[in-house]
Amino acid sequence: MSSNENMAEKSMLDEIQVAVEREKLNLSGMRCAACVQLIEFRIRQLRGVTSFKINSASHRAEVTWQPALITLKKIIGAIVDLGYGALPSNQLPDESEKKANRLALWRLFVAGFAMMQVMMYAFPAYLVPVPQADGDLTPDLDKLLKLASMIISIPVVGFSALPFFKSAWRDLRNLHVGMDVPVSIGILLAFFASIWATFFGGVVYYDSVIMFVFLLLGARMIEFHVQKKTTAALRVLTELTPLFAQRLLCYPENRMTESVDASKLRRDDVVLIAPGDHVPADGVVLEGKSECDESLMTGESHPIIKEVGGELIAGAINLSGALIMRANRVGDATRLSSLVGLMESAASEKPPLVLLADKYASRFLFAILLIALISALLWLQINPSRALSVAISVVVVTCPCALSLATPGVMSAAIGLLAKNGVLVTKGKVIQAMATATHFVFDKTGTLTIGKLRVHQTINKRQLPDMEIIVFLLASASSHPVSKAIADSLSAFGSAAHKHQFWQLIEVPGGGVEGVVDGKTYRLGSFDFCNQFSDCSINIGSELTEKTLSFLADENGILMIFALEDVLRDDALESVKSLMHKGKQVLMLSGDRADVVKKIADQCGITSAYGELSPQAKLKIVQDIQSAGGVVAMIGDGMNDGPVLALADVAVAMGQGAPISQSRSDLLLMSNRLADLDFAFTVATKAFRLIRENLAWAVIYNLIAVPAAVIGFLQPWHAALGMSLSSLIVVLNALRLYLIPQPEHVMIEE
C-alpha cells in the first residue's frame, strides 16, 4: 500500500466520529479463571472494542465498542467462536438454553443409571481380583462382564462426558489449559486402557470412568445452583430495570402511551408507571400519589410515599397508585446502574491474599500433568501394570478448581448480602481490610449525628443591608451540612438572591466558604477561618458553648453568628459499643469545637475524641495509627473528610454525604444506618474467614491427595470422588455466610 493510500485511510479513520456503545452480556460455558482470561484477551484484541471486562462470579461481561468499526453481533460471534455462549443481558434465555439445561439433566441420568449397572458387573472382579480357571470367576465369564461393562460405558463416554471433551478441545484449540483438559485426559486414558484390557487382558476401569463422570456432572450441577444462590442479590439488582416503559407521546395534551425499550428512554421523557411496575429511570413525579419500595437500592425496609415533586429511583417498585414521572437520568446515568456497576466491579476484585493464591493456581495444571507423567514413568519401573492407573489418579484427583472457586462465591454472597441491607461495597479489597481493621475512626456531623443541623440561634454583631441574602448565597453554594442548615433557615430570602452579583466562590475543607457578593468579599465558616481573613475578637456566651457555631465575616470582622445544634443517631451508641465489645479502638475526629465534640463523645462512650481539627491534623492522626501497625476504617460524611477517606485502609461514607466523600469510599452506607456498619464488619469478617478456609482446604487437599495418588494409595474412582467433593465443599462453604442473623432496621427520624 502506497504512502498516499495510507494517508487517505488515516484521514478517513480520523473523520469517523468516535461514538461508543455499551452493552452487558450473559456468558455461559466458563469453568475457571483461565476461561475468563482467554475471553477477555481475545475480545480486547478486536478492532473497535474499547473495553471488555468479565465478572467471574455472575458470568456477566460489560463491553464498550465503536459502532463505526465493529458491531455487537461480531463481538458475540467472536465469543461463540471461542466455544462459549453469549447473550445480551436484556434478552431472556431462549429455547436453546432451556434445551441445554434439559440435556444436562439427561446426561446426569444416563451416567447415574450406567453407574448402578456397571457396579454389578464389577463386583465379582473385586471379590476375585486375579481370576483362575478353577475359581468362582472363569476367564470366559470375566471377559463377558468386561464386555458388558464396556457396552454400558460407551453412552456415558460418548454422551454424558461430551461437554468435558468439547471444553477440552476448545481449550487446546485456543492454546490454553483449563480444568476440563486433565478431566478429559483422565476419562479417555481410563476408557481406552480398559478396552485394551478387555480384549488382551488386564485391569479395567469402566466403573471408575462412569463414577467419575457422574460425580463430576453432579458436582457441577450443584455448583451451578449454589453460585446462583450466592449471586442472587447481584442478579436481582441487574434485573430491576424493566425491559419496557410506557412513554407518554404528547404530555400534557393527551395521555396516549407507547411501549418503548427502557434503555432507549431520553432525558425529559414523560413516563406512566402503573401499580406493580418498576420505575425505569431516575426522575420526578408530575402526577399521582403512591408508595414505592426502594429497599434494594437504599436498604430502607418500609415503603416510601411518593407524590408530586417527589424523587423516584430507577428500579423501585410502584406499589399502589399510578404515577406520571419526568425522567432526569436514564440508562447508565441512573443511581441503579451506578450501584450495579460498582457492585459487579467489587465482586470481580479479589483481596490481596486471594491474588497471591491465583498467581500459583494458574501454573497448577501444568505442574500436575508433569507430575502424572513422571509418576507413570517411575511406576513402569516398579510395577508396569499400575503405571496407567497411578497416572490417571494423579490427573483426576487434583483440584485447581477449588482454588478458583474459593473466592467468587464468597465475595458475591457477601456483597449481595450487604446490598440487601443498604450497604454498597464499591471495592473488593474492602472485605479483607474491613475484616482486619483495628481502629474505627468516626467523623461527628452527619456520621455519629444525624447531620440535619438546625439553626438554634442567630446573633447579629453588625448590621449590613441584605445581610441575610449574602449568607444565603454563600451557604447555598456549599454541600456541607452546616451550610445546608443555614441555607434552609434563610430560604425565604432566596427569591431576592438573583438581584445580587455573586462569583468567585472558594470552599476550603475544614474551614468554610468564601465568595464575592456585589464586589465585596465575605467568609462563612469557622472562627479560625474567618479570623485569617480579618482580625476577629468575639465573646461567646456560656449558653452557646455546646452548640456548633458558624460565623459570617467581612474584612472588618464578624457580622453574624449562627448557633446550630445536632442530635445523636438513635443507633450510634449501640453501634459504637458493639465495635468496642469486639475489641476495636473507636475514635472521633472532628473539625467542630472541642466542647461540642466532647458532648457527643460522652453520649457515645468514646474516650478518644478530638475537636477543632483541620484536614491535615486528621491525616496526621490516621498516619500515626497506620505507622504503628493499625488498620484504619474511616467513617465520614462531609467534604472535609475526603483526604482522610482516601488515606484510610477502609473508607466508609454515609449515603447522604457529600459526593466527594462518596466517590472516595470503599463502602457506602446507602441506608444511613450505623447499625449496618457493624453488620458490614460482621459479614466481612465471616467472609474473609470463609475465603481463608476455602483456600486452606484447597491447598491441604491437594498436598495430601496428590502424593497419595503418586504412591498408589488411590484408585481412579477414589480420585474422582475426592476431586468432586473438594469442589463441592468449597462452594457449599460460601453458603454459611447466609447463617449470619439479619439486622433489625432502626427507623431514624431525620
Side-chain angles (χ1 to χ4, degrees):
M1 184 180 290
S2 67
S3 59
N4 290 335
E5 289 175 335
N6 283 330
M7 291 180 63
E9 181 181 0
K10 184 178 184 301
S11 176
M12 181 182 67
L13 291 174
D14 289 341
E15 291 176 0
I16 294 176
Q17 183 180 3
V18 185
V20 296
E21 293 187 11
R22 183 179 289 105
E23 182 63 79
K24 291 183 179 179
L25 304 175
N26 290 325
L27 305 181
S28 59
M30 297 190 305
R31 296 296 181 193
C32 58
C35 298
V36 174
Q37 294 169 2
L38 172 67
I39 300 174
E40 286 186 340
F41 176 76
R42 292 294 177 87
I43 300 304
R44 286 170 181 169
Q45 303 305 308
L46 296 177
R47 183 168 175 264
V49 174
T50 56
S51 70
F52 185 83
K53 186 176 182 181
I54 296 175
N55 183 324
S56 58
S58 61
H59 289 191
R60 288 169 63 89
E62 182 171 335
V63 58
T64 305
W65 74 98
Q66 298 177 20
L69 300 177
I70 195 171
T71 63
L72 180 62
K73 183 177 180 180
K74 288 185 178 179
I75 296 173
I76 293 177
I79 298 174
V80 173
D81 289 342
L82 289 173
Y84 301 91
L87 193 70
S89 60
N90 61 353
Q91 292 186 19
L92 297 175
D94 55 15
E95 188 60 32
S96 62
E97 185 173 342
K98 296 177 182 178
K99 183 180 178 180
N101 292 334
R102 290 194 296 268
L103 192 60
L105 286 173
W106 274 109
R107 295 187 198 278
L108 182 65
F109 171 76
V110 170
F113 181 78
M115 184 177 66
M116 291 185 292
Q117 297 300 315
V118 81
M119 287 304 296
M120 292 189 299
Y121 301 144
F123 188 68
Y126 285 128
L127 294 178
V128 187
V130 183
Q132 302 295 331
D134 57 352
D136 295 331
L137 187 62
T138 66
D140 291 339
L141 183 57
D142 178 55
K143 187 170 185 178
L144 179 63
L145 293 176
K146 289 178 179 178
L147 285 171
S149 298
M150 182 186 71
I151 293 172
I152 292 175
S153 300
I154 290 174
V156 175
V157 175
F159 174 67
S160 296
L162 198 58
F164 306 135
F165 302 147
K166 287 182 177 179
S167 179
W169 173 245
R170 176 197 65 208
D171 291 345
L172 293 175
R173 184 162 48 90
N174 292 310
L175 302 179
H176 92 290
V177 179
M179 260 306 300
D180 286 331
V181 172
V183 166
S184 299
I185 291 174
I187 293 173
L188 292 175
L189 279 177
F191 180 65
F192 286 110
S194 298
I195 292 177
W196 176 273
T198 299
F199 294 101
F200 299 100
V203 180
V204 297
Y205 304 104
Y206 295 120
D207 53 336
S208 297
V209 169
I210 295 176
M211 184 179 296
F212 177 42
V213 173
F214 174 77
L215 290 173
L216 196 56
L217 287 173
R220 289 191 175 181
M221 185 169 289
I222 295 174
E223 286 172 18
F224 173 73
H225 289 291
V226 171
Q227 285 183 338
K228 283 184 67 176
K229 169 74 173 176
T230 58
T231 59
L234 285 173
R235 286 185 290 105
V236 167
L237 282 169
T238 57
E239 296 167 1
L240 280 179
T241 302
L243 297 178
F244 299 98
Q246 298 299 317
R247 181 168 60 189
L248 275 71
L249 294 173
C250 190
Y251 178 85
E253 286 77 11
N254 63 60
R255 303 302 172 93
M256 293 182 61
T257 64
E258 62 173 348
S259 182
V260 297
D261 189 330
S263 63
K264 303 300 182 184
L265 285 176
R266 295 292 179 261
R267 182 182 173 89
D268 293 329
D269 279 351
V270 179
V271 182
L272 172 66
I273 308 167
D277 287 352
H278 285 83
V279 178
D282 292 352
V284 179
V285 178
L286 298 178
E287 289 187 28
K289 183 176 181 179
S290 181
E291 291 183 325
C292 288
D293 180 1
E294 300 177 349
S295 57
L296 285 175
M297 281 75 67
T298 65
E300 178 53 65
S301 57
H302 292 266
I304 308 298
I305 296 176
K306 301 293 181 181
E307 49 191 354
V308 176
E311 292 188 2
L312 294 174
I313 304 174
I317 304 173
N318 183 20
L319 298 178
S320 50
L323 294 173
I324 294 177
M325 68 168 285
R326 183 183 303 280
N328 291 336
R329 291 184 294 274
V330 296
D332 293 338
T334 63
R335 286 180 61 187
L336 174 63
S337 295
S338 175
L339 184 151
V340 172
L342 288 170
M343 286 181 62
E344 290 184 338
S345 175
S348 63
E349 289 185 18
K350 297 179 179 180
L353 174 66
V354 178
L355 291 174
L356 181 64
D358 283 355
K359 177 181 177 181
Y360 295 99
S362 60
R363 308 169 188 169
F364 190 65
L365 287 172
F366 294 98
I368 289 302
L369 292 175
L370 182 62
I371 292 172
L373 178 61
I374 295 173
S375 300
L377 294 175
L378 291 175
W379 275 93
L380 282 174
Q381 310 301 320
I382 301 171
N383 185 351
S385 64
R386 296 201 59 190
L388 181 62
S389 172
V390 169
I392 293 171
S393 296
V394 172
V395 170
V396 171
V397 78
T398 56
C399 196
C401 56
L403 284 172
S404 64
L405 291 171
T407 306
V410 178
M411 291 289 289
S412 297
I415 291 170
L417 188 61
L418 290 173
K420 287 174 62 178
N421 288 276
V423 181
L424 174 61
V425 176
T426 64
K427 295 181 179 65
K429 67 166 188 173
V430 75
I431 297 297
Q432 179 172 346
M434 191 77 168
T436 56
T438 58
H439 292 71
F440 283 76
V441 179
F442 288 87
D443 180 40
K444 181 184 72 69
T445 305
T447 305
L448 288 171
T449 63
I450 289 177
K452 293 289 185 180
L453 289 166
R454 302 171 181 86
V455 176
H456 172 73
Q457 186 178 354
T458 302
I459 303 172
N460 292 332
K461 304 303 291 184
R462 289 189 293 118
Q463 190 65 41
L464 290 179
D466 297 329
M467 197 157 58
E468 290 82 2
I469 298 177
I470 295 170
V471 176
F472 176 81
L473 286 169
L474 292 170
S476 59
S478 171
S479 61
H480 194 277
V482 173
S483 297
K484 286 183 177 180
I486 295 174
D488 289 343
S489 69
L490 299 174
S491 58
F493 296 92
S495 59
H498 68 279
K499 299 178 182 179
H500 298 263
Q501 294 182 344
F502 175 53
W503 67 91
Q504 294 183 2
L505 178 75
I506 299 173
E507 186 160 7
V508 178
V513 292
E514 177 183 303
V516 179
V517 182
D518 296 333
K520 190 174 181 180
T521 303
Y522 298 90
R523 281 192 175 187
L524 176 69
S526 68
F527 180 79
D528 289 339
F529 178 63
C530 293
N531 194 38
Q532 295 169 6
F533 178 49
S534 61
D535 187 12
C536 303
S537 58
I538 193 75
N539 291 323
I540 300 174
S542 59
E543 71 278 4
L544 300 179
T545 53
E546 293 185 348
K547 299 290 189 294
T548 296
L549 301 181
S550 185
F551 302 84
L552 174 69
D554 61 10
E555 66 275 9
N556 296 317
I558 299 295
L559 293 169
M560 297 181 69
I561 302 175
F562 295 90
L564 302 94
E565 60 182 3
D566 198 357
V567 293
L568 196 67
R569 290 183 181 273
D570 291 349
D571 56 352
L573 177 59
E574 182 181 352
S575 300
V576 169
K577 283 186 175 179
S578 177
L579 291 171
M580 289 180 172
H581 181 70
K582 294 172 181 174
K584 307 302 173 184
Q585 298 290 323
V586 179
L587 300 85
M588 190 200 309
L589 307 180
S590 176
D592 209 343
R593 293 198 344 269
D595 48 0
V596 178
V597 171
K598 184 177 184 305
K599 177 185 177 183
I600 297 297
D602 290 343
Q603 292 176 350
C604 293
I606 299 175
T607 55
S608 300
Y610 306 91
E612 301 179 9
L613 296 177
S614 65
Q616 291 74 19
K618 290 185 179 182
L619 280 172
K620 180 66 169 58
I621 293 175
V622 171
Q623 286 173 339
D624 289 344
I625 295 173
Q626 292 173 328
S627 299
V631 179
V632 178
M634 173 70 193
I635 305 93
D637 173 79
M639 177 179 175
N640 58 332
D641 297 318
V644 191
L645 287 170
L647 176 66
D649 299 281
V650 183
V652 184
M654 307 299 289
Q656 73 202 14
I660 189 171
S661 65
Q662 295 183 9
S663 67
R664 295 177 178 176
S665 66
D666 305 315
L667 205 69
L668 188 59
L669 299 182
M670 300 293 293
S671 60
N672 291 316
R673 288 187 296 262
L674 283 179
D676 291 338
L677 173 66
D678 183 55
F679 178 69
F681 171 73
T682 302
V683 170
T685 303
K686 179 78 170 180
F688 189 56
R689 184 164 67 247
L690 292 178
I691 289 173
R692 285 186 297 177
E693 288 175 2
N694 284 349
L695 290 174
W697 163 253
V699 171
I700 292 172
Y701 165 80
N702 284 291
L703 287 176
I704 295 175
V706 173
V710 169
I711 62 178
F713 279 180
L714 298 179
Q715 293 295 324
W717 75 270
H718 293 142
L721 180 62
M723 194 269 275
S724 299
L725 288 178
S726 177
S727 296
L728 267 181
I729 288 172
V730 167
V731 175
L732 291 173
N733 196 35
L735 292 181
R736 292 174 55 204
L737 207 59
Y738 289 94
L739 299 178
I740 297 176
Q742 300 288 306
E744 296 183 5
H745 290 160
V746 180
M747 297 301 297
I748 304 175
E749 295 294 331
E750 298 192 3

